[in-house]
Amino acid sequence: SQTIHQWPATLVQPVGSPLSLECTVEGTSNPNLYWYRQAAGRGLQLLFYSIGIDQISSEVPQNLSASRPQDRQFILSSKKLLLSDSGFYLCAWTDSGANVLTFGAGSRLTVL
Amino acid sequence: GDSVTQMEGPVTLSEEAFLTINCTYTATGYPSLFWYVQYPGEGLQLLLKATKADDKGSNKGFEATYRKETTSFHLEKGSVQVSDSAVYFCALRHTGANSKLTFGKGITLSVRP
């Protein structure tokens, strides 16, 4: 069966420090991968999505970047965190053509 | 572009009360519609879905019917439990590899014993 893992689950970082959140999917190949952010009072915002290695689309201009070094690995990064980067980050995957997204457990980032 | 509108929250109910959470959407064509639930401290889980007009999705006592004529997908449950306390998100997605899931803002439901 397919599983999705995110880590770390919780992270507290100072302003200006770098960030790396990792997401991996097991039990499938060539998944579509997504990064969402859930900020307080703002619902879910799609940040990046990828339909294959080296195929990453950014939805909103921001302080973050995404990479997909392997087929089932999706990494969210920042070189210098801002206070406004605080939030709950969710990775998700789906088989191409399927409708249902499966989410990871999330990574809670607090920038101080 | 596509959009999903959910009723304003939060919602607080007593156990065994009837629940309705409104959701309307704007989209071209015939997207699939979803309800996701997020329990405290966790990621999102699919609660139910409907892929075409007049379909009814159901799970764990929750139901929602895809109403094309009113562009709605309201979530209902006849008798809520304390364990239903969570954040509920309505969403839509078109088919296709590049299609993205568009969410509503979510609504927090608290159920009192």
Side-chain angles (χ1 to χ4, degrees), chain A:
Chain A
S1 63
Q2 301 93 351
T3 56
I4 179 169
H5 302 280
Q6 270 188 255
W7 68 92
T10 307
L11 195 59
V12 180
Q13 292 285 95
V15 170
S17 63
L19 171 72
S20 181
L21 300 179
E22 190 165 342
C23 172
T24 60
V25 180
E26 297 177 358
T28 188
S29 59
N30 197 30
N32 292 345
L33 297 170
Y34 305 81
W35 277 111
Y36 283 85
R37 176 169 60 200
Q38 186 178 19
R42 296 186 61 183
L44 283 157
Q45 181 184 34
L46 178 63
L47 302 176
F48 300 94
Y49 71 96
S50 171
I51 62 171
I53 291 177
D54 296 328
Q55 294 178 281
I56 298 172
S57 297
S58 173
E59 285 296 291
V60 294
Q62 60 208 322
N63 186 40
L64 303 168
S65 62
S67 61
R68 186 167 177 174
Q70 300 180 38
D71 180 46
R72 292 170 292 167
Q73 185 183 29
F74 206 25
I75 297 173
L76 184 69
S77 304
S78 174
K79 292 182 179 179
K80 289 187 177 181
L81 285 168
L82 305 172
L83 287 174
S84 57
D85 292 324
S86 293
F88 193 49
Y89 289 82
L90 290 158
C91 182
W93 77 275
T94 185
D95 284 329
S96 59
N99 264 336
V100 178
L101 266 67
T102 300
F103 285 83
S107 299
R108 184 163 300 283
L109 170 66
T110 303
V111 182
L112 302 175

Side-chain angles (χ1 to χ4, degrees), chain B residues 8-69:
Chain B
E8 293 288 327
V11 173
T12 302
L13 296 173
S14 297
E15 203 165 25
E16 299 183 2
F18 183 83
L19 169 72
T20 299
I21 300 177
N22 289 343
C23 171
T24 57
Y25 68 91
T26 302
T28 57
Y30 300 91
S32 294
L33 303 175
F34 306 84
W35 277 101
Y36 280 83
V37 59
Q38 183 181 30
Y39 297 104
E42 299 182 10
L44 273 70
Q45 303 174 25
L46 178 67
L47 180 59
L48 54 84
K49 67 174 184 177
T51 58
K52 60 182 187 294
D54 299 325
D55 266 2
K56 177 185 284 186
S58 61
N59 185 26
K60 298 182 181 180
F62 291 90
E63 292 183 341
T65 301
Y66 191 139
R67 302 287 187 198
K68 181 68 177 176
E69 63 276 12

